[in-house]
Amino acid sequence: MKLLLDTANLDDIRYFNTYYPIEGVTTNPTILAREGGDVIALLKSIREIIGDKKELHLQVTETEYDRIIAEAKALYAMLGPNTFIKIPATDVGLKATYTLSKMGIRITVTAVLSATQAMLAANSGASYVAPYISRLENICDDGVGCAADIVKIFSAGGSKTKVLAASFKTAKEVLDVAVIGCHAATVGSDIMKKLLSHTTTATSIADFERDWNAAFGERTLLSMLEG
Ligand code: E4P
């Protein structure tokens, strides 16, 4: 399952883009508001850090059809062809998704909270749908089950639309959407770190180092190889 980073924090983006196999970055208005400052400069910096080839998913803030189209075109023109425009799952959003997809601008229909919304988004030409896992789990609904239904519907219908699971509060939720066959997940920095870190990995590495040093002292394997 492809992983994207759900943040607009430049330090985090630099770190994860250097060390983790992320294939892009996603933001939303709340995430951008958290960073504050010059939003245009921030978006350009994100694109500069991840390069032209990785995916950058940016959400529109307009709600009227003509203004969504204008905002999407302007974002796409500024940030390049691997920019996906996130549009919430509404009636106007579906219409804008249809129009922009026909123009060749790829759309991620976001704020998806049901499989029927996902089906309509796919039929409107969306490249991705983003079901919100933890926002469903938090209201005692089945976020992972919803994503599983969407995967099944797309697979049964031969849809080209992909599932980008979003809104995670635990690493287990990320694992669960990978197991049910989501194509991608966008994960915040804290959860992304939790996907890798394990106390037994850390103690294992410490044990290896201790045993090596006890036997060979300061001499490293590389220094032995280099003679
Ligand atoms: C995806 O890009 C969504 O906007 C995001 O994952 C929502 O996450 P939240 O529910 O933690 O705000």
Side-chain angles (χ1 to χ4, degrees), residues 5-7 25-31 34 57 59 86 108 110-111 130-136 138 164-169 186-188:
L5 186 65
D6 200 21
T7 187
V25 167
T26 60
T27 75
N28 63 34
T30 304
I31 289 171
R34 201 174 291 144
H57 295 240
Q59 190 164 327
K86 290 173 66 185
T108 298
T110 193
Y132 280 10
I133 306 305
S134 77
R135 290 196 194 198
L136 281 169
N138 283 344
L164 169 63
S167 178
F168 295 101
K169 292 290 170 282
T186 184
V187 180

Side-chain angles (χ1 to χ4, degrees), residues 176-202:
D176 289 343
V177 299
V179 169
I180 55 111
C182 281
H183 309 93
T186 184
V187 180
S189 304
D190 290 349
I191 305 289
M192 188 70 87
K193 276 188 187 154
K194 287 191 169 85
L195 298 181
L196 180 63
S197 72
H198 197 296
T199 48
T200 305
T201 302

Side-chain angles (χ1 to χ4, degrees), residues 185-222:
T186 184
V187 180
S189 304
D190 290 349
I191 305 289
M192 188 70 87
K193 276 188 187 154
K194 287 191 169 85
L195 298 181
L196 180 63
S197 72
H198 197 296
T199 48
T200 305
T201 302
T203 55
S204 300
I205 292 167
D207 289 348
F208 294 141
E209 203 174 318
R210 183 203 57 219
D211 294 342
W212 178 273
N213 290 342
F216 305 110
E218 297 291 294
R219 286 185 300 149
T220 65
L221 181 56
L222 181 59

Side-chain angles (χ1 to χ4, degrees), residues 89-226:
T90 64
D91 51 0
V92 178
L94 292 181
K95 184 179 176 190
T97 297
Y98 182 81
T99 303
L100 290 163
S101 300
K102 286 275 176 222
M103 287 176 188
I105 296 179
R106 288 177 289 180
I107 305 300
T108 298
V109 171
T110 193
V112 167
L113 280 305
S114 75
T116 53
Q117 290 175 332
M119 186 172 66
L120 290 166
N123 293 354
S124 302
S127 295
Y128 283 108
V129 295
Y132 280 10
I133 306 305
S134 77
R135 290 196 194 198
L136 281 169
E137 301 281 342
N138 283 344
I139 52 169
C140 284
D141 208 327
D142 184 2
V144 176
C146 175
D149 284 347
I150 298 170
V151 169
K152 272 188 219 147
I153 291 166
F154 288 1
S155 166
S159 176
K160 285 186 190 150
T161 308
K162 295 195 169 4
V163 182
L164 169 63
S167 178
F168 295 101
K169 292 290 170 282
T170 68
K172 177 68 163 54
E173 290 168 347
V174 180
L175 177 65
D176 289 343
V177 299
V179 169
I180 55 111
C182 281
H183 309 93
T186 184
V187 180
S189 304
D190 290 349
I191 305 289
M192 188 70 87
K193 276 188 187 154
K194 287 191 169 85
L195 298 181
L196 180 63
S197 72
H198 197 296
T199 48
T200 305
T201 302
T203 55
S204 300
I205 292 167
D207 289 348
F208 294 141
E209 203 174 318
R210 183 203 57 219
D211 294 342
W212 178 273
N213 290 342
F216 305 110
E218 297 291 294
R219 286 185 300 149
T220 65
L221 181 56
L222 181 59
S223 68
M224 292 172 192
L225 289 165
E226 290 174 340

